[in-house]
Amino acid sequence: MSVISAPDAAPAPRRMDANISKVPYLPGLDGMRAVAVVAVMIYHANSTWLKGGFIGVEVFFVISGYLITLLLIAEHEKTGAVDMKNFWVRRFRRLLPALFVMLLLLSIWTAIFERDALGQLRGDLLGGVFYISNWYQVFIGAGYSASNDFAPLRHLWSLAVEEQFYFIWPLLLLLSKPIIRHAKFVLIFIGLWFAAFTFSIWHAIADPVAAYFLLPARVFELMLGCGLALFAHRLPILNRWQAECLSLTGVVAIVASAILLNSESIFPGYNALWPTAGAALIIYAGMSGHASLVTRLLSTKAFVFLGTLSYSLYLWHWPPIALLNYQLVALTLPIKVGLISFAFFAAWFTHAFVENSLRYRQWSL
């Protein structure tokens, strides 16, 4: 679930500069996040409406890889170093307040209305706080689609994957500093990506539950976004027609995956390649600076607004659905509309009064 902030930047240039720090934030990224979170919400509300809606997570992973790498390399080019302590503090300030509010309110609700389930919630709470929810769920043998379990925090697995990657990837970049500008680094990166992709295919077949939740089987998705940021200056410059074709191809790949895949598909592995490649194509097309039809649509106010709420929407949409499933309440259409309305209100409130309030506050010791 991508939660990286957009760096301040001018509109996209017509060509990719040799300095990575000159590759700007792309306006369409917020729109991509909006599409991704809505797909996940639809899938969780009723998987028959969009059987492969879970692939929205893949789109988030590619965006996360791109933005995290862009920010790290840009900081290094501007200051000559990367302040790792400050980097992780910024991440925690961005992520933890909204997460803690959701966890606190869920704990209060469970203590009042589902007291018998408090013991089951304890492990999920610890997993969510320390970003090891994915490993905890594998440890207890939790299947993601188990509908009658008390699992209001099961969706935190994807945030755990991202945070684990945010911890490892900056360190790997620092270790790669001596060769990061050399052509051989491109070959090394491509080789590592193919190795990660091959491992994901094997893991998805050998142990589907663990592969779905754990970083090793997901890392190739994040790396695809990382590669776009790292090698932006090496990629061919697209003209307007090429940007249009690539962005439309990316949309087709994502939409087809959402329609054709389902919970029985081998995943992630090779099936995850299509939505991740689709997201990468849209980002690459946006990097050209040409305002393609897809980019213009994703940059509209409605999509951008939803994209800014995507983190909070992701946090809030699943718990009420899981609680009603646990109580064996039939999710009729009016109830689903109510759940979605609640998620949007809670996301807006959290974003406005928790995320932004604490994120931009000046702290002093």
Side-chain angles (χ1 to χ4, degrees):
M1 176 70 199
S2 178
V3 290
I4 300 296
S5 309
D8 296 330
R14 289 300 176 185
R15 61 179 290 118
M16 299 173 204
D17 196 281
N19 289 325
I20 296 174
S21 60
K22 299 293 182 63
V23 181
Y25 168 76
L26 309 179
L29 290 185
D30 277 326
M32 289 177 66
R33 284 190 280 213
V35 172
V37 76
V38 168
V40 173
M41 290 174 66
I42 293 174
Y43 173 75
H44 283 158
N46 190 332
S47 60
T48 61
W49 292 350
L50 194 63
K51 295 182 178 180
F54 55 83
I55 59 91
V57 173
E58 275 58 50
V59 176
F60 281 123
F61 284 165
V62 176
I63 295 173
S64 291
Y66 173 77
L67 288 177
I68 196 69
T69 305
L70 190 65
L71 294 177
L72 289 168
I73 299 300
E75 180 181 351
H76 186 272
E77 288 182 346
K78 291 174 182 177
T79 67
V82 175
D83 187 338
M84 298 304 300
K85 178 182 177 181
N86 186 46
F87 166 77
W88 282 316
V89 168
R90 291 198 308 269
R91 296 282 66 77
F92 291 147
R93 285 183 59 178
R94 172 68 178 91
L95 302 173
L96 290 180
L99 175 63
F100 283 171
V101 168
M102 188 271 289
L103 294 179
L104 175 61
L105 293 179
L106 177 62
S107 299
I108 294 173
W109 173 279
T110 305
I112 296 174
F113 299 105
E114 301 287 351
R115 181 173 294 272
D116 292 341
L118 274 175
Q120 300 178 56
L121 186 64
R122 188 178 300 115
D124 285 319
L125 282 172
L126 292 174
V129 169
F130 293 103
Y131 290 108
I132 55 171
S133 179
N134 56 338
W135 287 97
Y136 174 74
Q137 291 178 48
V138 171
F139 176 75
I140 65 174
Y144 194 77
S145 60
S147 60
N148 296 332
D149 292 345
F150 185 78
L153 298 177
R154 189 162 291 168
H155 64 315
L156 298 185
W157 73 271
S158 64
L159 301 184
V161 168
E162 288 195 3
E163 285 307 297
Q164 290 158 20
F165 185 77
Y166 293 165
F167 181 79
I168 297 171
W169 179 238
L171 299 177
L172 292 178
L173 279 182
L174 289 178
L175 293 176
S176 304
K177 179 182 175 182
I179 62 170
I180 202 168
R181 285 295 187 180
H182 294 278
K184 61 182 178 181
F185 182 72
V186 179
L187 297 178
I188 293 172
F189 185 90
I190 292 174
L192 291 174
W193 184 88
F194 272 106
F197 178 53
T198 302
F199 176 81
S200 180
I201 295 174
W202 170 82
H203 201 191
I205 296 173
D207 191 347
V209 173
Y212 192 90
F213 285 114
L214 300 183
L215 174 62
R218 296 286 188 164
V219 71
F220 82 93
E221 303 170 16
L222 291 139
M223 286 180 66
L224 201 56
C226 296
L228 285 172
L230 277 173
F231 310 123
H233 58 292
R234 296 178 180 272
L235 295 172
I237 301 170
L238 302 177
N239 58 36
R240 182 177 298 277
W241 181 83
Q242 290 170 329
E244 290 280 4
C245 289
L246 284 187
S247 59
L248 287 174
T249 301
V251 170
V252 169
I254 292 172
V255 172
S257 299
I259 295 173
L260 298 177
L261 296 177
N262 56 59
S263 60
E264 302 300 321
S265 302
I266 297 175
F267 210 83
Y270 56 85
N271 282 321
L273 179 62
W274 312 118
T276 52
L281 288 176
I282 295 173
I283 293 174
Y284 179 30
M287 289 162 58
S288 69
H290 299 296
S292 67
L293 175 63
V294 173
T295 301
R296 292 198 300 272
L297 177 61
L298 294 176
S299 301
T300 57
K301 291 182 178 179
F303 278 97
V304 171
F305 175 71
L306 284 178
T308 60
L309 294 183
S310 60
Y311 175 57
S312 290
L313 270 175
Y314 189 80
L315 285 179
W316 282 108
H317 85 280
W318 173 252
I321 294 175
L323 291 173
L324 291 180
N325 283 334
Y326 179 69
Q327 296 169 350
L328 300 180
V329 175
L331 297 184
T332 61
L333 183 59
I335 290 178
K336 291 173 183 176
V337 172
L339 291 175
I340 292 174
S341 300
F342 166 79
F344 274 98
F345 173 77
W348 169 81
F349 186 90
T350 304
H351 178 75
F353 298 103
V354 178
E355 290 185 64
N356 287 345
S357 176
L358 296 179
R359 179 181 172 192
Y360 297 115
R361 177 176 296 175
Q362 296 298 318
W363 299 87
S364 60
L365 297 178

